[in-house]
Amino acid sequence: MNRVGLGPVGRVRSRVRVPGDKSISHRALVLNAVAEGTATVRGLAPGADVGATLGALEALGVTIERLGDDRVRVTGGAHWHAKQPIDCQNSGTTARLLLGLLASRAPAPVTLTGDQSLSRRPMRRVVEPLRRMGAEIEPADTLPLTVTGRPLTGAEHHLDVASAQLKTALLLAGLAADGLTMLIEPGVSRDHTERVLAAMGARIERREREVRVRPGDLTALDIDVPGDFSSAAPFLALAAAREGSEIVVEEVGLNPTRTGFLDLLRAFGAEVETTVVVTEPEPYGDVRVMGTKLSGIDVDPEIVPRTIDELPLIAVVATQAEGLTRVRGATELRVKESDRIEAIAAGLVRMGADMEMAPDGFDIRGPTVLEGARLDAAGDHRIGMALAIGAALAQGGSTLDGTEWIDVSYPSFLTDLVSCAGVPVRV
Ligand code: S3P
């Protein structure tokens, strides 16, 4: 396990660029793999999660040429093989998307495995609706799971959770199913899949929480992946929570189904400006956050799906805001790469935060002058990054254990944090 020492920072004024979006990268690879033709993906996310999807698709017979560090050429229409087993590592997106992909396309039984964390995460939410379409997947609750390709029939799904991974798995199945597949989500989850599918010529219709897809061929699509909003968020949190700071993140994805975090920073009282330079198929541009005096907020459960991966950072910012911050309706945090409510509370309470956990969220009373402490990423990239920001805001030095987990989405995060914010790091 890697441990680094992290020191506090003062006011930060800086600009930063972050690597490509992880969610869009997974989709750019998987959807081009099932499309007709060849496409180039530029700005691919560098982390291990997208590496797991790349490796899985290659093991299944998809041709992927590496053109450079963040550039690949994908040739779709593969003759699917089944090299066994397929290791999805730590990546929930890889596992869930592959279930939908293989439900009709696995030429022989294919087993999906994952690391310890992924092997604990819920898969029944994907398996049950796929089975209703005719899929053969055994068992159902957790990995390892074995999928045998079967002819599928479209179905109407009323989903219990707003999850873009689940939605994408069902859309992938629906593209190869007989008849109409319809999904109704309880809230609006990220819509990258729908955007890419529409641009590839899929017969897809969307209205708020409802998506319909009919079977049909896709045309390969070149994709320029914008910077990952979730990788930008730690820098934006730091700027918001340190009064007098200002950070600009350049060329970052600003898809409204991802940017609930900006609405929450505004509600805390931070100044936030966005300049969208491109709108289709994915909006992106620059975002500037300026830190001022913050006041605690009540986070509406409706916004949770639009900021699910940033809620650990909301906890960090809340420690610096005057009064009570309350988050509810976020049970999903319990089944991410770690139990993110437990993991962020463990770190922040060690630093002296006044934080109480709830089954589906947390309460934090601020402001607190955080004290440097011994912190643990808890096997979770987002917790590692959020606690690094906590350490930067604290008084005195901290240590962070498990920094290797940050490589799952953003391997150069600590280096970028040093260059952007001058955070002292000791390895
Ligand atoms: C993702 C969707 C979200 C998110 C995850 C990436 C995706 O998960 O937490 O980091 O790329 O579809 P859920 O779909 O389970 O909410």
Side-chain angles (χ1 to χ4, degrees):
M1 181 166 58
N2 294 345
R3 171 178 299 172
V4 302
L6 291 162
V9 293
R11 227 180 249 175
V12 181
R13 287 181 172 263
S14 194
R15 301 178 81 84
V16 62
R17 266 171 199 258
V18 294
D21 187 278
K22 177 161 87 69
S23 289
I24 299 174
S25 296
H26 285 294
R27 285 150 177 87
L29 296 172
V30 169
L31 295 175
N32 272 311
V34 296
E36 292 297 325
T38 294
T40 303
V41 182
R42 294 181 211 87
L44 201 68
D49 268 20
V50 171
T53 289
L54 269 172
L57 291 174
E58 285 179 324
L60 289 167
V62 180
T63 307
I64 302 180
E65 295 159 76
R66 266 62 169 185
L67 304 177
D69 276 355
D70 64 353
R71 239 203 241 199
V72 295
R73 191 183 291 135
V74 185
T75 302
H79 294 289
W80 301 95
H81 310 307
K83 251 191 224 156
Q84 295 272 22
I86 296 203
D87 184 2
C88 303
Q89 302 174 31
N90 189 243
S91 175
T93 311
T94 307
R96 293 183 176 131
L97 268 51
L98 285 183
L99 288 174
L101 178 91
L102 293 171
S104 66
R105 297 172 181 89
V110 181
T111 299
L112 303 181
T113 61
D115 70 4
Q116 240 183 26
S117 149
L118 184 57
S119 303
R120 281 195 300 265
R121 295 182 64 188
M123 295 295 154
R124 186 177 280 277
R125 55 177 63 186
V126 188
V127 172
E128 290 267 326
L130 286 174
R131 281 182 180 168
R132 270 193 275 116
M133 298 173 78
E136 187 178 331
I137 304 173
E138 288 297 337
D141 289 314
T142 48
L143 298 185
L145 291 173
T146 300
V147 195
T148 308
R150 293 282 177 236
L152 303 181
T153 313
E156 183 173 322
H157 302 286
H158 294 262
L159 306 177
D160 296 333
V161 278
S163 158
Q165 295 176 355
L166 165 57
K167 175 172 64 178
T168 305
L170 298 178
L171 291 174
L172 279 163
L175 280 174
D178 190 19
L180 173 72
T181 296
M182 181 173 149
L183 330 171
I184 300 160
E185 291 195 282
V188 181
S189 65
R190 60 192 68 187
D191 68 356
H192 304 302
T193 305
E194 295 92 305
R195 285 170 181 267
V196 177
L197 282 179
M200 287 181 154
R203 295 194 291 162
I204 185 166
E205 292 160 45
R206 323 156 46 191
R207 213 177 336 117
E208 290 170 13
R209 296 179 290 109
E210 196 180 301
V211 192
R212 294 158 182 251
V213 73
R214 290 182 170 76
D217 292 337
L218 304 178
T219 311
L221 180 75
D222 288 340
I223 296 180
D224 285 312
V225 181
D228 194 325
F229 183 80
S230 297
S231 301
F235 299 99
L236 304 177
L238 178 60
R242 183 59 94 221
E243 216 181 323
S245 295
E246 176 176 328
I247 293 184
V248 178
V249 184
E250 297 172 343
E251 294 191 7
V252 62
L254 293 171
N255 179 320
T257 62
R258 290 284 296 280
T259 53
F261 183 65
L262 297 181
D263 301 343
L264 296 179
L265 290 185
R266 284 193 186 99
F268 274 117
E271 284 181 43
V272 177
E273 281 170 19
T274 55
T275 318
V276 175
V277 291
V278 167
T279 55
E280 292 294 331
E282 282 285 347
Y284 74 86
D286 294 350
V287 54
R288 175 191 308 269
V289 170
M290 286 158 280
T292 55
K293 276 222 171 333
L294 305 181
S295 308
I297 59 171
D298 216 340
V299 174
D300 182 349
E302 278 232 332
I303 205 174
V304 163
R306 294 205 300 120
T307 191
I308 187 72
D309 290 339
E310 287 67 62
L311 288 174
L313 287 164
I314 288 296
V316 174
V317 174
T319 65
Q320 304 307 299
E322 174 86 38
L324 176 68
T325 293
R326 168 163 291 186
V327 173
R328 291 292 184 277
T331 320
E332 279 296 293
L333 288 180
R334 299 260 182 211
V335 291
K336 293 293 181 187
E337 286 83 330
S338 67
D339 176 336
R340 287 186 175 159
I341 297 176
E342 287 279 348
I344 195 69
L348 292 177
V349 167
R350 270 176 178 242
M351 284 195 271
D354 178 355
M355 177 167 186
E356 273 176 39
M357 292 184 277
D360 61 340
F362 49 82
D363 288 346
I364 293 177
R365 253 175 221 289
T368 300
V369 178
L370 297 175
E371 299 287 340
R374 185 164 167 195
L375 305 169
D376 183 1
D380 185 331
H381 57 132
R382 306 244 176 257
I383 297 298
M385 290 188 271
L387 290 177
I389 299 304
L393 292 166
Q395 191 172 262
S398 298
T399 57
L400 176 60
D401 286 343
T403 52
E404 69 279 10
W405 287 101
I406 296 174
D407 296 354
V408 156
S409 62
Y410 190 173
S412 61
F413 170 71
L414 288 174
T415 323
D416 291 354
L417 186 60
V418 176
S419 18
C420 164
V423 174
V425 175
R426 262 182 305 106
V427 181

